[in-house]
Amino acid sequence: MEYAAAKSSICRQCGRYFSPFAPKPGLKLRVREEAPAAPASSSILGKFEDFWKRQRSSVIECFECKRKQQVCGTATSTICPACSAHIDLRDYKVTSGFSRTIRTRGDVHLTGKGDLGSSSVICRSALIEGRLRGNLHCDDTATINFAGKIPGRISARRVIVERKADIHCFRRLKAENIEIKGRMSGEIIAQTVTIQKKGALEGDVTARAITVEKGGMFSGQLVIGRADLMQGELLQEQKPDVERVPESDFSPVAQRPLPAT
Ligand SMILES: [Zn+2]
Ligand SMILES: [Zn+2]
């Protein structure tokens, strides 16, 4: 790749030079010494984080043509060098009603008072503490810390159902790895499922492996699925199940015989 050879690159967004490589550990110490004194400790931390954000570069993929490119941490958007598509890089913090579609390589934080009505949210990682009405896909991790119904489809590389979460998913949840620390009802399709101590899952699971730790609870059917099939499922969402699930992803919510929470 062209970036591998380069010692530094220019950000398409702000024109700043940045190293295409991750900062070395030794750099951190020097940075702290150089940081100017600030009155409040929170602002020191803020400046420190800003600094790191500026230094950090990441490789992102075009939503349209999948071409990868490197962007610096402060960029809020970029243009795909291959197909010229606009790529949103912003982080979203949703603290009240919000219903526009989100498609970003940044993160989404839906706070406790937030109400995310968007039919589709695509992001890197998401922290869900409020009401989520539509579908959510995270390239990385979806952390759910919410109590209530989740009517939309959730898919992510990794899903964490936090300790205080108590969720009732109407649609199948898809992920490579799912960790359940709180309570969840709904169907899961995954590579690995871990139900931790005090975690509880009620619903059917199709997975390559499931671990129920001591003190964890699982009630539902378990189908040990083939890993390659799982992977295909994750990549091609609309592909109907070969194995056993008769309904498609678009079956009405009412038809799902899910137990009440
Ligand atoms: Zn930049
Ligand atoms: Zn593109």
Side-chain angles (χ1 to χ4, degrees), residues 35-93:
S41 62
S42 63
S43 85
I44 291 174
L45 186 68
K47 276 177 185 168
F48 194 63
E49 281 173 353
D50 282 352
F51 182 89
W52 276 106
K53 206 171 182 200
R54 247 179 286 128
Q55 296 304 302
R56 202 174 57 211
S57 65
S58 56
V59 174
I60 59 111
E61 196 180 81
C62 174
F63 287 108
E64 307 297 337
C65 73
K66 308 298 175 198
R67 163 74 142 80
K68 287 185 167 75
Q69 67 167 306
Q70 204 143 12
V71 291
C72 92
T74 50
T76 57
S77 73
T78 188
I79 301 290
C80 173
C83 76
S84 300
H86 174 264
I87 303 166
D88 192 354
L89 301 172
R90 287 174 295 180
D91 294 333
Y92 287 79
K93 187 171 181 178

Short mmCIF file of all heavy atoms in Angstrom, two decimals, residues 35-93:
data_model
loop_
_atom_site.label_atom_id
_atom_site.label_comp_id
_atom_site.label_asym_id
_atom_site.label_seq_id
_atom_site.Cartn_x
_atom_site.Cartn_y
_atom_site.Cartn_z
N ALA A 35 2.97 19.84 27.55
CA ALA A 35 1.63 20.39 27.64
C ALA A 35 1.64 21.65 28.50
O ALA A 35 2.19 21.65 29.59
CB ALA A 35 0.67 19.36 28.23
N PRO A 36 1.06 22.75 28.01
CA PRO A 36 1.07 23.99 28.79
C PRO A 36 0.21 23.87 30.04
O PRO A 36 -0.77 23.13 30.07
CB PRO A 36 0.47 25.01 27.81
CG PRO A 36 -0.35 24.19 26.85
CD PRO A 36 0.33 22.86 26.76
N ALA A 37 0.63 24.60 31.08
CA ALA A 37 -0.13 24.56 32.32
C ALA A 37 -1.50 25.20 32.11
O ALA A 37 -1.61 26.25 31.48
CB ALA A 37 0.63 25.29 33.41
N ALA A 38 -2.50 24.55 32.61
CA ALA A 38 -3.85 25.09 32.49
C ALA A 38 -4.48 25.15 33.86
O ALA A 38 -4.11 24.37 34.73
CB ALA A 38 -4.68 24.23 31.56
N PRO A 39 -5.37 26.09 34.12
CA PRO A 39 -5.91 26.26 35.47
C PRO A 39 -6.69 25.05 35.98
O PRO A 39 -6.44 24.59 37.08
CB PRO A 39 -6.82 27.49 35.33
CG PRO A 39 -7.05 27.66 33.85
CD PRO A 39 -5.85 27.10 33.17
N ALA A 40 -7.61 24.56 35.21
CA ALA A 40 -8.43 23.45 35.70
C ALA A 40 -7.90 22.12 35.20
O ALA A 40 -7.38 22.02 34.10
CB ALA A 40 -9.88 23.64 35.25
N SER A 41 -8.00 21.13 36.06
CA SER A 41 -7.48 19.83 35.70
C SER A 41 -8.26 19.23 34.52
O SER A 41 -7.72 18.52 33.70
CB SER A 41 -7.54 18.89 36.89
OG SER A 41 -8.88 18.71 37.29
N SER A 42 -9.54 19.57 34.45
CA SER A 42 -10.36 19.02 33.37
C SER A 42 -9.89 19.54 32.02
O SER A 42 -9.94 18.85 31.03
CB SER A 42 -11.84 19.35 33.58
OG SER A 42 -12.02 20.75 33.54
N SER A 43 -9.42 20.79 32.02
CA SER A 43 -8.99 21.34 30.73
C SER A 43 -7.63 20.80 30.32
O SER A 43 -7.33 20.70 29.15
CB SER A 43 -9.00 22.88 30.76
OG SER A 43 -7.80 23.35 31.31
N ILE A 44 -6.83 20.44 31.32
CA ILE A 44 -5.57 19.77 30.98
C ILE A 44 -5.88 18.46 30.28
O ILE A 44 -5.34 18.16 29.23
CB ILE A 44 -4.72 19.49 32.25
CG1 ILE A 44 -4.21 20.80 32.84
CG2 ILE A 44 -3.55 18.56 31.92
CD1 ILE A 44 -3.48 20.63 34.16
N LEU A 45 -6.81 17.76 30.88
CA LEU A 45 -7.20 16.49 30.30
C LEU A 45 -7.79 16.71 28.90
O LEU A 45 -7.47 15.98 27.97
CB LEU A 45 -8.24 15.80 31.20
CG LEU A 45 -8.64 14.38 30.78
CD1 LEU A 45 -7.47 13.43 30.97
CD2 LEU A 45 -9.84 13.90 31.59
N GLY A 46 -8.60 17.74 28.79
CA GLY A 46 -9.22 18.04 27.51
C GLY A 46 -8.18 18.33 26.44
O GLY A 46 -8.25 17.79 25.34
N LYS A 47 -7.18 19.15 26.81
CA LYS A 47 -6.14 19.49 25.85
C LYS A 47 -5.32 18.27 25.49
O LYS A 47 -4.92 18.09 24.36
CB LYS A 47 -5.23 20.58 26.43
CG LYS A 47 -5.79 21.96 26.23
CD LYS A 47 -4.92 23.03 26.85
CE LYS A 47 -5.59 24.38 26.74
NZ LYS A 47 -4.95 25.39 27.55
N PHE A 48 -5.11 17.47 26.50
CA PHE A 48 -4.34 16.25 26.29
C PHE A 48 -5.07 15.33 25.31
O PHE A 48 -4.48 14.81 24.37
CB PHE A 48 -4.16 15.57 27.64
CG PHE A 48 -3.13 14.48 27.63
CD1 PHE A 48 -1.80 14.79 27.36
CD2 PHE A 48 -3.48 13.19 27.90
CE1 PHE A 48 -0.84 13.80 27.35
CE2 PHE A 48 -2.52 12.19 27.90
CZ PHE A 48 -1.20 12.50 27.62
N GLU A 49 -6.36 15.22 25.52
CA GLU A 49 -7.15 14.36 24.63
C GLU A 49 -7.22 14.93 23.22
O GLU A 49 -7.14 14.20 22.24
CB GLU A 49 -8.57 14.18 25.19
CG GLU A 49 -8.59 13.15 26.31
CD GLU A 49 -9.93 13.07 27.01
OE1 GLU A 49 -10.80 13.90 26.70
OE2 GLU A 49 -10.08 12.18 27.85
N ASP A 50 -7.35 16.25 23.14
CA ASP A 50 -7.37 16.90 21.84
C ASP A 50 -6.07 16.63 21.09
O ASP A 50 -6.06 16.33 19.91
CB ASP A 50 -7.52 18.43 21.99
CG ASP A 50 -8.95 18.81 22.29
OD1 ASP A 50 -9.81 17.91 22.22
OD2 ASP A 50 -9.20 19.98 22.58
N PHE A 51 -4.99 16.74 21.86
CA PHE A 51 -3.69 16.50 21.26
C PHE A 51 -3.63 15.10 20.69
O PHE A 51 -3.20 14.90 19.57
CB PHE A 51 -2.59 16.70 22.31
CG PHE A 51 -1.21 16.53 21.75
CD1 PHE A 51 -0.55 17.62 21.20
CD2 PHE A 51 -0.59 15.30 21.75
CE1 PHE A 51 0.72 17.47 20.66
CE2 PHE A 51 0.68 15.14 21.21
CZ PHE A 51 1.33 16.23 20.66
N TRP A 52 -4.10 14.16 21.47
CA TRP A 52 -4.03 12.78 21.01
C TRP A 52 -4.92 12.54 19.82
O TRP A 52 -4.59 11.80 18.92
CB TRP A 52 -4.36 11.81 22.15
CG TRP A 52 -3.12 11.60 22.92
CD1 TRP A 52 -2.83 12.10 24.14
CD2 TRP A 52 -1.95 10.93 22.46
NE1 TRP A 52 -1.55 11.77 24.48
CE2 TRP A 52 -0.99 11.05 23.47
CE3 TRP A 52 -1.62 10.25 21.30
CZ2 TRP A 52 0.28 10.51 23.35
CZ3 TRP A 52 -0.36 9.70 21.18
CH2 TRP A 52 0.58 9.84 22.20
N LYS A 53 -6.04 13.21 19.84
CA LYS A 53 -6.96 13.03 18.73
C LYS A 53 -6.31 13.54 17.44
O LYS A 53 -6.45 12.95 16.39
CB LYS A 53 -8.27 13.79 19.02
CG LYS A 53 -9.42 13.18 18.28
CD LYS A 53 -10.77 13.72 18.68
CE LYS A 53 -11.82 12.98 17.88
NZ LYS A 53 -13.06 13.69 17.81
N ARG A 54 -5.58 14.66 17.58
CA ARG A 54 -4.91 15.22 16.41
C ARG A 54 -3.81 14.30 15.90
O ARG A 54 -3.58 14.18 14.72
CB ARG A 54 -4.31 16.59 16.77
CG ARG A 54 -4.99 17.74 16.05
CD ARG A 54 -4.37 19.04 16.46
NE ARG A 54 -4.74 19.46 17.79
CZ ARG A 54 -3.87 19.81 18.73
NH1 ARG A 54 -2.58 19.80 18.49
NH2 ARG A 54 -4.30 20.18 19.91
N GLN A 55 -3.12 13.68 16.86
CA GLN A 55 -1.99 12.83 16.47
C GLN A 55 -2.47 11.51 15.85
O GLN A 55 -1.78 10.92 15.06
CB GLN A 55 -1.13 12.50 17.71
CG GLN A 55 -0.48 13.70 18.32
CD GLN A 55 0.37 14.45 17.32
OE1 GLN A 55 1.29 13.90 16.75
NE2 GLN A 55 0.04 15.71 17.11
N ARG A 56 -3.62 11.09 16.30
CA ARG A 56 -4.08 9.76 15.92
C ARG A 56 -4.59 9.78 14.48
O ARG A 56 -5.34 10.65 14.09
CB ARG A 56 -5.22 9.36 16.86
CG ARG A 56 -5.45 7.87 16.93
CD ARG A 56 -6.49 7.58 17.99
NE ARG A 56 -7.73 8.28 17.73
CZ ARG A 56 -8.56 8.71 18.66
NH1 ARG A 56 -8.28 8.53 19.91
NH2 ARG A 56 -9.67 9.33 18.33
N SER A 57 -4.15 8.83 13.73
CA SER A 57 -4.71 8.70 12.40
C SER A 57 -5.34 7.32 12.33
O SER A 57 -4.97 6.42 13.07
CB SER A 57 -3.63 8.84 11.35
OG SER A 57 -2.72 7.77 11.44
N SER A 58 -6.31 7.18 11.47
CA SER A 58 -6.91 5.86 11.36
C SER A 58 -7.23 5.56 9.91
O SER A 58 -7.36 6.45 9.08
CB SER A 58 -8.17 5.77 12.22
OG SER A 58 -9.07 6.79 11.86
N VAL A 59 -7.31 4.30 9.63
CA VAL A 59 -7.65 3.87 8.28
C VAL A 59 -9.16 3.65 8.23
O VAL A 59 -9.71 2.95 9.07
CB VAL A 59 -6.91 2.56 7.93
CG1 VAL A 59 -7.39 2.03 6.59
CG2 VAL A 59 -5.41 2.79 7.91
N ILE A 60 -9.79 4.31 7.31
CA ILE A 60 -11.24 4.16 7.18
C ILE A 60 -11.56 3.68 5.77
O ILE A 60 -10.78 3.83 4.84
CB ILE A 60 -11.98 5.47 7.51
CG1 ILE A 60 -11.53 6.61 6.59
CG2 ILE A 60 -11.79 5.87 8.97
CD1 ILE A 60 -12.55 7.06 5.62
N GLU A 61 -12.74 3.14 5.66
CA GLU A 61 -13.15 2.54 4.40
C GLU A 61 -14.30 3.33 3.80
O GLU A 61 -15.19 3.79 4.52
CB GLU A 61 -13.60 1.10 4.69
CG GLU A 61 -13.70 0.20 3.50
CD GLU A 61 -14.15 -1.19 3.94
OE1 GLU A 61 -15.35 -1.39 4.16
OE2 GLU A 61 -13.29 -2.07 4.07
N CYS A 62 -14.28 3.50 2.49
CA CYS A 62 -15.37 4.19 1.81
C CYS A 62 -16.65 3.35 1.94
O CYS A 62 -16.62 2.13 1.81
CB CYS A 62 -15.03 4.37 0.33
SG CYS A 62 -16.38 5.06 -0.64
N PHE A 63 -17.77 4.02 2.23
CA PHE A 63 -19.04 3.30 2.35
C PHE A 63 -19.48 2.73 1.00
O PHE A 63 -20.17 1.73 0.94
CB PHE A 63 -20.14 4.24 2.87
CG PHE A 63 -19.99 4.59 4.32
CD1 PHE A 63 -19.60 5.85 4.70
CD2 PHE A 63 -20.25 3.65 5.30
CE1 PHE A 63 -19.47 6.18 6.04
CE2 PHE A 63 -20.13 3.96 6.64
CZ PHE A 63 -19.74 5.23 7.01
N GLU A 64 -19.09 3.41 -0.07
CA GLU A 64 -19.57 3.01 -1.40
C GLU A 64 -18.68 1.96 -2.06
O GLU A 64 -19.14 0.91 -2.46
CB GLU A 64 -19.67 4.24 -2.31
CG GLU A 64 -20.47 5.39 -1.75
CD GLU A 64 -21.94 5.06 -1.52
OE1 GLU A 64 -22.44 4.12 -2.17
OE2 GLU A 64 -22.56 5.72 -0.68
N CYS A 65 -17.38 2.28 -2.18
CA CYS A 65 -16.51 1.39 -2.98
C CYS A 65 -15.52 0.61 -2.12
O CYS A 65 -14.72 -0.16 -2.65
CB CYS A 65 -15.77 2.19 -4.04
SG CYS A 65 -14.44 3.24 -3.39
N LYS A 66 -15.56 0.83 -0.80
CA LYS A 66 -14.71 0.10 0.16
C LYS A 66 -13.23 0.45 0.07
O LYS A 66 -12.40 -0.19 0.71
CB LYS A 66 -14.86 -1.43 0.00
CG LYS A 66 -16.30 -1.94 0.02
CD LYS A 66 -16.97 -1.65 1.33
CE LYS A 66 -18.44 -2.06 1.30
NZ LYS A 66 -19.21 -1.41 2.37
N ARG A 67 -12.88 1.44 -0.74
CA ARG A 67 -11.48 1.88 -0.82
C ARG A 67 -11.07 2.39 0.56
O ARG A 67 -11.80 3.14 1.20
CB ARG A 67 -11.37 2.98 -1.87
CG ARG A 67 -10.10 3.82 -1.81
CD ARG A 67 -8.88 3.04 -2.32
NE ARG A 67 -7.98 3.91 -3.07
CZ ARG A 67 -7.08 4.74 -2.55
NH1 ARG A 67 -6.97 4.84 -1.23
NH2 ARG A 67 -6.32 5.48 -3.31
N LYS A 68 -9.86 1.98 1.00
CA LYS A 68 -9.38 2.42 2.30
C LYS A 68 -8.51 3.66 2.15
O LYS A 68 -7.81 3.82 1.15
CB LYS A 68 -8.56 1.31 2.95
CG LYS A 68 -9.41 0.16 3.45
CD LYS A 68 -8.57 -0.85 4.20
CE LYS A 68 -9.41 -1.84 4.97
NZ LYS A 68 -10.04 -2.84 4.12
N GLN A 69 -8.55 4.52 3.13
CA GLN A 69 -7.66 5.67 3.15
C GLN A 69 -7.38 6.03 4.60
O GLN A 69 -8.10 5.63 5.51
CB GLN A 69 -8.29 6.86 2.42
CG GLN A 69 -9.52 7.42 3.11
CD GLN A 69 -9.93 8.77 2.55
OE1 GLN A 69 -9.12 9.69 2.48
NE2 GLN A 69 -11.17 8.89 2.14
N GLN A 70 -6.32 6.81 4.77
CA GLN A 70 -5.92 7.20 6.11
C GLN A 70 -6.38 8.63 6.38
O GLN A 70 -6.24 9.50 5.53
CB GLN A 70 -4.40 7.13 6.21
CG GLN A 70 -3.92 6.95 7.61
CD GLN A 70 -2.71 6.04 7.67
OE1 GLN A 70 -2.12 5.73 6.65
NE2 GLN A 70 -2.36 5.59 8.85
N VAL A 71 -6.92 8.85 7.54
CA VAL A 71 -7.38 10.20 7.89
C VAL A 71 -6.86 10.55 9.28
O VAL A 71 -6.62 9.68 10.10
CB VAL A 71 -8.93 10.29 7.89
CG1 VAL A 71 -9.47 10.16 6.49
CG2 VAL A 71 -9.54 9.26 8.82
N CYS A 72 -6.70 11.83 9.55
CA CYS A 72 -6.22 12.22 10.86
C CYS A 72 -7.39 12.40 11.81
O CYS A 72 -8.54 12.54 11.40
CB CYS A 72 -5.34 13.47 10.79
SG CYS A 72 -6.19 15.01 11.00
N GLY A 73 -7.08 12.40 13.10
CA GLY A 73 -8.12 12.36 14.12
C GLY A 73 -9.06 13.55 14.16
O GLY A 73 -10.19 13.42 14.64
N THR A 74 -8.64 14.71 13.68
CA THR A 74 -9.51 15.88 13.77
C THR A 74 -10.40 16.05 12.55
O THR A 74 -11.27 16.90 12.54
CB THR A 74 -8.68 17.17 13.93
OG1 THR A 74 -7.67 17.16 12.92
CG2 THR A 74 -8.05 17.26 15.30
N ALA A 75 -10.16 15.28 11.52
CA ALA A 75 -10.98 15.43 10.30
C ALA A 75 -12.43 15.09 10.61
O ALA A 75 -12.72 14.14 11.33
CB ALA A 75 -10.44 14.52 9.21
N THR A 76 -13.35 15.87 10.09
CA THR A 76 -14.77 15.61 10.32
C THR A 76 -15.43 14.97 9.11
O THR A 76 -16.57 14.50 9.19
CB THR A 76 -15.53 16.89 10.69
OG1 THR A 76 -15.32 17.84 9.63
CG2 THR A 76 -15.01 17.47 12.00
N SER A 77 -14.75 15.02 7.99
CA SER A 77 -15.26 14.33 6.81
C SER A 77 -14.11 14.19 5.83
O SER A 77 -13.06 14.82 5.98
CB SER A 77 -16.40 15.10 6.16
OG SER A 77 -15.91 16.25 5.50
N THR A 78 -14.30 13.36 4.85
CA THR A 78 -13.29 13.25 3.81
C THR A 78 -13.98 12.83 2.51
O THR A 78 -15.18 12.55 2.50
CB THR A 78 -12.18 12.25 4.22
OG1 THR A 78 -11.12 12.32 3.26
CG2 THR A 78 -12.69 10.83 4.26
N ILE A 79 -13.22 12.85 1.45
CA ILE A 79 -13.73 12.45 0.15
C ILE A 79 -12.96 11.20 -0.27
O ILE A 79 -11.74 11.15 -0.14
CB ILE A 79 -13.49 13.56 -0.90
CG1 ILE A 79 -14.17 14.87 -0.49
CG2 ILE A 79 -13.93 13.13 -2.28
CD1 ILE A 79 -15.67 14.85 -0.55
N CYS A 80 -13.67 10.23 -0.76
CA CYS A 80 -13.01 9.00 -1.20
C CYS A 80 -12.14 9.30 -2.42
O CYS A 80 -12.63 9.85 -3.40
CB CYS A 80 -14.04 7.94 -1.53
SG CYS A 80 -13.31 6.46 -2.26
N PRO A 81 -10.84 8.95 -2.36
CA PRO A 81 -9.97 9.22 -3.50
C PRO A 81 -10.32 8.39 -4.74
O PRO A 81 -9.94 8.74 -5.85
CB PRO A 81 -8.58 8.86 -2.99
CG PRO A 81 -8.80 7.99 -1.81
CD PRO A 81 -10.14 8.31 -1.25
N ALA A 82 -11.05 7.32 -4.53
CA ALA A 82 -11.37 6.46 -5.67
C ALA A 82 -12.69 6.85 -6.33
O ALA A 82 -12.77 6.94 -7.55
CB ALA A 82 -11.43 5.01 -5.21
N CYS A 83 -13.72 7.08 -5.53
CA CYS A 83 -15.05 7.31 -6.14
C CYS A 83 -15.63 8.68 -5.79
O CYS A 83 -16.75 8.99 -6.20
CB CYS A 83 -16.01 6.20 -5.75
SG CYS A 83 -16.64 6.32 -4.07
N SER A 84 -14.90 9.49 -5.04
CA SER A 84 -15.32 10.85 -4.68
C SER A 84 -16.55 10.91 -3.76
O SER A 84 -17.12 11.98 -3.59
CB SER A 84 -15.59 11.70 -5.93
OG SER A 84 -14.43 11.78 -6.70
N ALA A 85 -16.91 9.80 -3.19
CA ALA A 85 -18.05 9.84 -2.27
C ALA A 85 -17.65 10.57 -0.98
O ALA A 85 -16.51 10.49 -0.54
CB ALA A 85 -18.50 8.42 -1.94
N HIS A 86 -18.60 11.28 -0.40
CA HIS A 86 -18.37 11.96 0.86
C HIS A 86 -18.42 10.93 2.00
O HIS A 86 -19.29 10.06 2.02
CB HIS A 86 -19.46 13.02 1.07
CG HIS A 86 -19.41 13.67 2.40
ND1 HIS A 86 -20.17 13.25 3.46
CD2 HIS A 86 -18.67 14.71 2.85
CE1 HIS A 86 -19.91 14.01 4.51
NE2 HIS A 86 -19.00 14.90 4.17
N ILE A 87 -17.48 11.04 2.92
CA ILE A 87 -17.45 10.11 4.05
C ILE A 87 -17.48 10.91 5.34
O ILE A 87 -16.57 11.69 5.63
CB ILE A 87 -16.18 9.23 4.02
CG1 ILE A 87 -16.12 8.46 2.68
CG2 ILE A 87 -16.17 8.24 5.19
CD1 ILE A 87 -14.75 7.83 2.41
N ASP A 88 -18.51 10.73 6.10
CA ASP A 88 -18.67 11.39 7.39
C ASP A 88 -17.74 10.73 8.41
O ASP A 88 -17.68 9.50 8.50
CB ASP A 88 -20.14 11.25 7.83
CG ASP A 88 -20.49 12.14 9.01
OD1 ASP A 88 -19.58 12.80 9.57
OD2 ASP A 88 -21.68 12.19 9.37
N LEU A 89 -17.02 11.56 9.15
CA LEU A 89 -16.10 11.03 10.16
C LEU A 89 -16.47 11.52 11.56
O LEU A 89 -15.75 11.28 12.52
CB LEU A 89 -14.66 11.46 9.84
CG LEU A 89 -14.09 11.03 8.49
CD1 LEU A 89 -12.74 11.70 8.25
CD2 LEU A 89 -13.94 9.52 8.41
N ARG A 90 -17.58 12.22 11.65
CA ARG A 90 -17.93 12.84 12.93
C ARG A 90 -18.41 11.84 13.97
O ARG A 90 -18.94 10.78 13.65
CB ARG A 90 -19.06 13.86 12.71
CG ARG A 90 -18.62 15.12 12.02
CD ARG A 90 -19.80 15.99 11.70
NE ARG A 90 -20.70 15.35 10.74
CZ ARG A 90 -21.82 15.90 10.30
NH1 ARG A 90 -22.21 17.07 10.72
NH2 ARG A 90 -22.57 15.25 9.42
N ASP A 91 -18.23 12.23 15.22
CA ASP A 91 -18.85 11.49 16.32
C ASP A 91 -20.19 12.17 16.60
O ASP A 91 -20.31 13.38 16.49
CB ASP A 91 -17.99 11.58 17.59
CG ASP A 91 -16.65 10.87 17.41
OD1 ASP A 91 -16.58 9.93 16.61
OD2 ASP A 91 -15.69 11.27 18.09
N TYR A 92 -21.16 11.37 16.95
CA TYR A 92 -22.48 11.92 17.26
C TYR A 92 -22.82 11.65 18.71
O TYR A 92 -22.68 10.53 19.19
CB TYR A 92 -23.56 11.25 16.39
CG TYR A 92 -23.54 11.68 14.94
CD1 TYR A 92 -22.62 11.14 14.06
CD2 TYR A 92 -24.45 12.62 14.47
CE1 TYR A 92 -22.59 11.52 12.73
CE2 TYR A 92 -24.43 13.01 13.14
CZ TYR A 92 -23.50 12.46 12.28
OH TYR A 92 -23.49 12.85 10.96
N LYS A 93 -23.25 12.70 19.38
CA LYS A 93 -23.76 12.52 20.74
C LYS A 93 -25.23 12.92 20.70
O LYS A 93 -25.56 14.08 20.42
CB LYS A 93 -22.98 13.39 21.72
CG LYS A 93 -23.36 13.12 23.16
CD LYS A 93 -22.42 13.84 24.10
CE LYS A 93 -22.78 13.54 25.55
NZ LYS A 93 -21.84 14.19 26.47
#
